[in-house]
Amino acid sequence: MITIKDIAGLAGVSKSTVSRVLTGTGYVNDETREKIEKVIKENSYEPSESARSLPKRITNTIGVVVPEIDNSFYTEVLNGISQVVDQNNFNIIYFNTNNSLAKEEKALQMLKAQRVRGVILAPAVDYSEPEATKKLKLLLEKINAPVVLLDRDIDGISLDKVVYDNFGSAFAATEALIKAGNKTVGIITGDLNLKHARGRYEGYLEAMKQYNIPVIEKYVLHGDFMADTAYSLAWKMYEQRDIPDGIISCNNRTTLGFLRATRERKMKLGREIAFVGIDHIDVLDIIDYKYSHVTRDTVEMGRATMQLLMDRIKNPLKMNTVQIVPYKLVLKGTELRK
Amino acid sequence: MITIKDIAGLAGVSKSTVSRVLTGTGYVNDETREKIEKVIKENSYEPSESARSLPKRITNTIGVVVPEIDNSFYTEVLNGISQVVDQNNFNIIYFNTNNSLAKEEKALQMLKAQRVRGVILAPAVDYSEPEATKKLKLLLEKINAPVVLLDRDIDGISLDKVVYDNFGSAFAATEALIKAGNKTVGIITGDLNLKHARGRYEGYLEAMKQYNIPVIEKYVLHGDFMADTAYSLAWKMYEQRDIPDGIISCNNRTTLGFLRATRERKMKLGREIAFVGIDHIDVLDIIDYKYSHVTRDTVEMGRATMQLLMDRIKNPLKMNTVQIVPYKLVLKGTELRK
DNA sequence: TTGAAAGCGCTAACAT
DNA sequence: ATGTTAGCGCTTTCAA
């Protein structure tokens, strides 16, 4: 493998001069520069990043940690992130934690070993216990690089954050059903141990309260954000032939489960049952399988997160900012009944 | 930032001894080891990967280059890759080329700068011209690490490869339609400038030939693997009210476009038109939106690719292997007509 | 079993 | 404008 020393030799100059053209700093005669650049080209020399970052004690690598890459939400976010990264000559070192705390800890440790320049973290778990949060804080501190929290907020941790208006999105979904004239409104919740699931549930409750609609216990289906669970819950509800006028579903997967049960039971969306989901599902959009939903611009969310990280890197002393990603209500008719 | 020197100082030993426990090589007294490990723990010291890889001139990083992360196929493959990576204490440095040759070249260059241990490359473009292939070869050679080609094969390049039986999959799809009694069979092709699109087209042609079914030009819809194009093509076909008994679609996106047109025109799949697609679409499976298709185990494909790379890293001299991923025919009834 | 010393490929003062 | 030198944080001979 060819090194800076080789280039220096071939160009008849010292390593420092080569280094100067490499880094673009300091004075170097135009002729010398050209000569050196020529030699670099000819030998397709590429300086080693490890060697470069050692004296600088800094890398150009960004760590990205996501909990579930098989969720299209994170795919889209990752897409947005990599768009911004591309423009800035950074690298992404990427981890999928599979919602496992252990994997997340390992990922953060590796990120520390890599001396990354910054980290984007979409937490694997709900850090609800102060103990766990404290431990995470310690881990993050030791990474010694700015961290931006993505999607899943953690209380009592002061960082730059890009989070969703969970409460508002569920409120809007519920409100849409109520305004469409539905007298009873149910919900398929996420795992209420998770903060964002609770936020959405509370948004639902608040809308019901404001519009004076009673919350009927049997129409509150306690799910866990998984399609299969939502499917069973919805199926059971249909089987009992006791269904609310309308129902909201708390994420893309619960919506899929619900839609499946609804298809199988041959219930007509927007006629026999009104429905508004939280999250869009791209593929269904494409095949024109319409349902009303509240959504967010996920790719933009990724871009914004990365941008926030870049800003923080450039200006380490700036105040923490929390960006609340707005929701968007998209009505396709399924919020109606008949 | 705490270094090996600090640890040595705190443990009252030399850097070399600390290094020995870090690398797990050479002799070191049990007591000394324990002492050192204790100090490491207490200070949550994590050796710098840059510094480690410099004297070793080798990293534990794997470069992964994919052309389109918004395609669920690559998401699933990436998932498989990261599963294997996790088990081996490697890191993934990740690039999305967006099907751009320029971005791919840049990615490979950065991978070289990183001195990665190996590369998984799903090419951005069809290297059909010898010139382009030659250039790529040069680039890859300079990376100086094993490369495994994923999904999109390149002629005249001798590497480990994991590719799909494109011909076979299209043959099987077509055959399924023929065996189901369809007398005329059409196809929505991919971009025929691309090798795998041609492979699939040829699979279709061969099946037609073997079963003595004439290929009717107007039923060959020349697409480009994009949903929108497939949508327009299918829409136009329906509008002209001249449709084949059955039709195959060459990837997940063309299938989406086709399904959308079919929905909008209120044509009944499996009754008014028979259909078999290449690729599965997870989400449609989940909502029980059934259609017959040929598919492959994409997550396993990722795992296999990474495994191949690991094997190559362990044994640099072994012969190149080309793994042909088998297809699987899944009949759901839409291969029929009426 | 441990330590001293050289060196990995760069950058960044400091001289000249 | 260029070269010399020291050093980044490790690993790895080589001695002891």
Side-chain angles (χ1 to χ4, degrees):
Chain A
M1 184 110 308
I2 178 159
T3 74
I4 195 173
K5 199 177 154 191
D6 303 322
I7 299 296
L10 291 168
V13 296
S14 76
K15 288 191 301 173
S16 345
T17 311
V18 178
S19 177
R20 274 185 209 104
V21 347
L22 250 30
T23 55
T25 60
Y27 299 92
V28 39
N29 186 30
D30 282 352
E31 282 179 37
T32 324
R33 156 169 290 117
E34 278 166 32
K35 169 85 183 177
I36 293 174
E37 279 168 350
K38 186 156 155 276
V39 176
I40 289 179
K41 259 272 131 83
E42 283 171 359
N43 296 273
S44 58
Y45 162 69
E46 192 76 36
S48 151
E49 277 301 328
S50 313
R52 293 191 97 162
S53 52
L54 194 46
K56 291 200 296 194
R57 262 158 298 180
I58 193 79
T59 65
N60 283 321
T61 304
I62 301 296
V64 175
V65 184
V66 297
E68 41 192 50
I69 195 57
D70 40 1
N71 186 335
S72 60
F73 167 71
Y74 287 107
T75 313
E76 293 165 18
V77 166
L78 186 59
N79 199 352
I81 292 173
S82 66
Q83 284 175 20
V84 179
V85 162
D86 276 355
Q87 297 160 4
N88 291 276
N89 260 49
F90 276 72
N91 293 313
I92 289 182
I93 174 160
Y94 153 90
F95 291 92
N96 179 14
T97 61
N98 247 316
N99 287 310
S100 141
L101 176 59
K103 278 201 180 180
E104 179 165 294
E105 284 172 350
K106 196 179 161 203
L108 293 175
Q109 204 167 320
M110 293 183 105
L111 254 24
K112 183 184 177 209
Q114 293 288 341
R115 306 292 190 263
V116 288
R117 190 71 165 277
V119 172
I120 291 177
L121 171 65
V125 298
D126 201 54
Y127 286 89
S128 45
E129 289 161 42
E131 273 313 302
T133 309
K134 214 166 118 191
K135 200 173 161 198
L136 177 69
K137 264 184 176 168
L138 244 51
L139 252 174
L140 293 182
E141 266 166 30
K142 289 183 312 197
I143 287 185
N144 209 22
V147 177
V148 179
L149 221 53
L150 171 63
D151 189 41
R152 304 186 183 175
D153 195 7
I154 297 175
D155 285 329
I157 203 164
S158 98
L159 290 172
D160 291 319
K161 299 174 180 178
V162 176
V163 294
Y164 189 36
D165 183 0
N166 290 301
F167 182 94
S169 67
F171 187 98
T174 311
E175 188 179 38
L177 283 174
I178 295 170
K179 284 190 171 167
N182 297 288
K183 295 305 173 203
T184 50
V185 176
I187 181 174
I188 304 175
T189 75
D191 177 354
L192 293 181
N193 291 314
L194 301 177
K195 198 183 168 197
H196 59 298
R198 284 196 301 275
R200 291 176 191 190
Y201 183 46
E202 282 155 15
Y204 161 78
L205 292 178
E206 181 61 24
M208 297 293 272
K209 190 170 153 201
Q210 279 194 23
Y211 286 89
N212 276 313
I213 312 272
V215 173
I216 300 171
E217 212 32 69
K218 65 186 169 188
Y219 297 149
V220 175
L221 310 186
H222 288 276
D224 57 2
F225 279 145
M226 303 309 270
D228 284 349
T229 310
Y231 168 74
S232 314
L233 289 169
W235 179 274
K236 209 180 299 170
M237 177 186 79
Y238 285 136
E239 203 175 31
Q240 291 171 193
R241 300 175 169 287
D242 181 3
I243 62 174
D245 289 353
I247 192 163
I248 75 167
S249 151
C250 277
N251 82 344
N252 47 8
R253 283 186 304 230
T254 55
T255 295
L256 285 171
F258 168 79
L259 290 178
R260 179 177 179 188
T262 305
R263 273 179 69 85
E264 285 186 12
R265 300 290 306 199
K266 303 209 191 313
M267 297 287 292
K268 290 276 177 234
L269 227 55
R271 296 188 48 77
E272 294 165 275
I273 187 166
F275 175 74
V276 178
I278 296 179
D279 290 348
H280 67 274
I281 299 172
D282 237 30
V283 166
L284 296 187
D285 271 12
I286 298 173
I287 64 166
D288 202 34
Y289 192 104
K290 295 194 175 93
Y291 68 92
S292 300
H293 57 266
V294 288
T295 185
R296 46 190 158 171
D297 187 337
T298 45
V299 177
E300 175 55 30
M301 200 167 160
R303 266 189 242 117
T305 308
M306 189 58 206
Q307 197 52 59
L308 204 56
L309 182 57
M310 305 294 293
D311 294 348
R312 163 70 55 200
I313 288 171
K314 270 173 207 142
N315 181 2
L317 298 176
K318 79 194 235 310
M319 277 178 33
N320 284 329
T321 63
V322 176
Q323 284 190 23
I324 313 283
V325 176
Y327 58 83
K328 218 169 40 194
L329 180 63
V330 181
L331 295 181
K332 295 285 191 179
T334 64
E335 74 282 7
L336 301 166
R337 189 159 158 276
K338 284 194 176 144
Chain B
M1 183 107 310
I2 177 159
T3 74
I4 195 174
K5 198 178 155 192
D6 303 322
I7 299 296
L10 291 168
V13 295
S14 75
K15 291 190 299 173
S16 338
T17 310
V18 177
S19 177
R20 274 185 209 105
V21 346
L22 251 30
T23 56
T25 61
Y27 299 91
V28 38
N29 184 29
D30 282 350
E31 283 180 37
T32 325
R33 157 169 289 116
E34 278 165 32
K35 169 84 184 176
I36 293 174
E37 278 168 350
K38 186 156 154 274
V39 175
I40 289 179
K41 264 267 137 77
E42 283 171 0
N43 296 273
S44 58
Y45 163 69
E46 193 76 36
S48 151
E49 277 301 328
S50 312
R52 295 192 96 161
S53 52
L54 194 46
K56 290 200 296 193
R57 262 159 298 181
I58 193 77
T59 65
N60 283 321
T61 304
I62 301 296
V64 175
V65 184
V66 297
E68 40 192 50
I69 195 58
D70 39 0
N71 186 334
S72 59
F73 167 70
Y74 287 106
T75 313
E76 293 165 21
V77 167
L78 186 58
N79 199 352
I81 292 174
S82 66
Q83 284 175 21
V84 179
V85 162
D86 277 355
Q87 298 160 4
N88 291 275
N89 261 51
F90 276 73
N91 293 312
I92 290 182
I93 175 161
Y94 153 89
F95 292 91
N96 178 13
T97 61
N98 247 317
N99 287 311
S100 142
L101 176 59
K103 278 201 180 179
E104 178 165 296
E105 284 172 351
K106 194 178 162 206
L108 292 175
Q109 204 168 318
M110 293 183 106
L111 255 24
K112 184 186 177 206
Q114 293 288 339
R115 306 291 190 265
V116 288
R117 190 71 164 279
V119 172
I120 291 176
L121 172 65
V125 299
D126 201 55
Y127 287 88
S128 46
E129 290 161 42
E131 273 314 302
T133 309
K134 212 167 120 191
K135 199 172 162 199
L136 177 68
K137 265 183 176 168
L138 244 51
L139 252 173
L140 292 182
E141 265 167 32
K142 287 183 313 198
I143 286 184
N144 209 22
V147 177
V148 179
L149 222 52
L150 171 63
D151 188 43
R152 304 187 183 175
D153 195 7
I154 297 173
D155 284 329
I157 202 163
S158 98
L159 289 172
D160 290 319
K161 300 174 180 179
V162 177
V163 295
Y164 189 36
D165 183 0
N166 290 301
F167 182 94
S169 67
F171 186 97
T174 312
E175 189 179 38
L177 284 174
I178 296 170
K179 284 191 172 167
N182 297 287
K183 296 303 173 203
T184 52
V185 176
I187 181 173
I188 305 175
T189 75
D191 177 354
L192 293 181
N193 291 315
L194 302 177
K195 199 184 167 196
H196 60 296
R198 285 197 301 275
R200 292 175 190 189
Y201 182 48
E202 282 156 16
Y204 160 80
L205 293 179
E206 180 61 24
M208 298 292 273
K209 191 171 152 202
Q210 278 195 23
Y211 287 89
N212 276 314
I213 313 270
V215 173
I216 300 170
E217 213 32 70
K218 65 185 169 189
Y219 297 149
V220 175
L221 310 186
H222 288 277
D224 57 2
F225 279 144
M226 304 310 270
D228 284 350
T229 311
Y231 168 75
S232 315
L233 289 169
W235 178 274
K236 209 179 299 169
M237 176 186 79
Y238 286 135
E239 202 173 35
Q240 291 170 193
R241 299 176 168 284
D242 181 3
I243 62 174
D245 290 350
I247 192 164
I248 76 167
S249 152
C250 278
N251 82 344
N252 48 7
R253 284 187 303 232
T254 55
T255 294
L256 286 171
F258 168 77
L259 290 179
R260 177 175 182 190
T262 305
R263 273 179 68 85
E264 285 186 12
R265 300 289 307 198
K266 304 211 189 311
M267 297 288 291
K268 291 276 176 235
L269 228 53
R271 297 187 48 78
E272 293 165 276
I273 186 166
F275 175 74
V276 177
I278 295 179
D279 289 348
H280 68 273
I281 300 172
D282 238 29
V283 166
L284 297 187
D285 272 12
I286 297 175
I287 65 167
D288 203 35
Y289 192 105
K290 295 194 175 94
Y291 68 92
S292 300
H293 57 266
V294 288
T295 184
R296 45 190 158 170
D297 186 338
T298 46
V299 176
E300 175 55 30
M301 201 167 159
R303 264 187 245 121
T305 308
M306 189 58 206
Q307 196 52 61
L308 205 55
L309 183 55
M310 306 295 293
D311 294 348
R312 164 68 57 200
I313 287 171
K314 269 171 207 144
N315 182 3
L317 298 176
K318 78 193 235 309
M319 277 177 35
N320 284 329
T321 63
V322 176
Q323 284 189 23
I324 313 283
V325 176
Y327 59 83
K328 217 168 42 193
L329 180 63
V330 180
L331 295 181
K332 297 284 192 181
T334 64
E335 74 281 8
L336 300 166
R337 188 161 159 275
K338 289 202 173 139

